[in-house]
Amino acid sequence: QKPVTQAPVTQAPVTQAPITQAPVTQAPITQAPVTQAPGPVTMAPITQAPNVPAPGEFCKGKADGFYKDPKDCAYFFQCSFELAYHEPCPSGTKFSTALQGCAWEANVKDCP
């Protein structure tokens, strides 16, 4: 009979998986934005109430349109359906019959 040799028995090495920890992160620190007060405060424009028909008979019998105020060239009447609206010209201007509107004083010849 032939001698029988047994193969050596080896055990596989046992390795242990490394133990890891989850990373620890800190939340970023933010500061609230610094805001400044708004710029200068502006006032709402002051508006004038609409002109109401002027009393009197100025526009009775007249066609719709613009007419020089016979008492003051810095004003004019707007006639509409025989109702009179008394309107001012801007500063430095007078009503021009030729232009049917307000013009610089030096350019208005029909106003004394």
Side-chain angles (χ1 to χ4, degrees):
Q1 174 172 21
K2 290 187 180 176
V4 176
T5 58
Q6 281 193 325
V9 177
T10 59
Q11 288 189 334
V14 176
T15 58
Q16 201 170 8
I19 297 172
T20 60
Q21 290 184 341
V24 176
T25 58
Q26 280 189 323
I29 297 172
T30 58
Q31 288 184 336
V34 176
T35 58
Q36 292 186 353
V41 176
T42 56
M43 302 297 288
I46 298 172
T47 56
Q48 292 181 338
N51 288 321
V52 295
E57 303 291 318
F58 184 84
C59 289
K60 294 292 181 195
K62 288 188 169 86
D64 289 356
F66 300 96
Y67 298 89
K68 177 175 61 171
D69 181 333
K71 295 178 183 172
D72 187 348
C73 293
Y75 289 85
F76 63 94
F77 285 97
Q78 179 180 2
C79 293
S80 178
F81 297 102
E82 295 191 353
L83 295 175
Y85 297 88
H86 197 229
E87 304 283 348
C89 284
S91 179
T93 64
K94 301 230 173 167
F95 186 78
S96 167
T97 304
L99 296 175
Q100 289 292 290
C102 299
W104 295 114
E105 291 181 41
N107 298 331
V108 179
K109 305 298 181 206
D110 62 345
C111 184

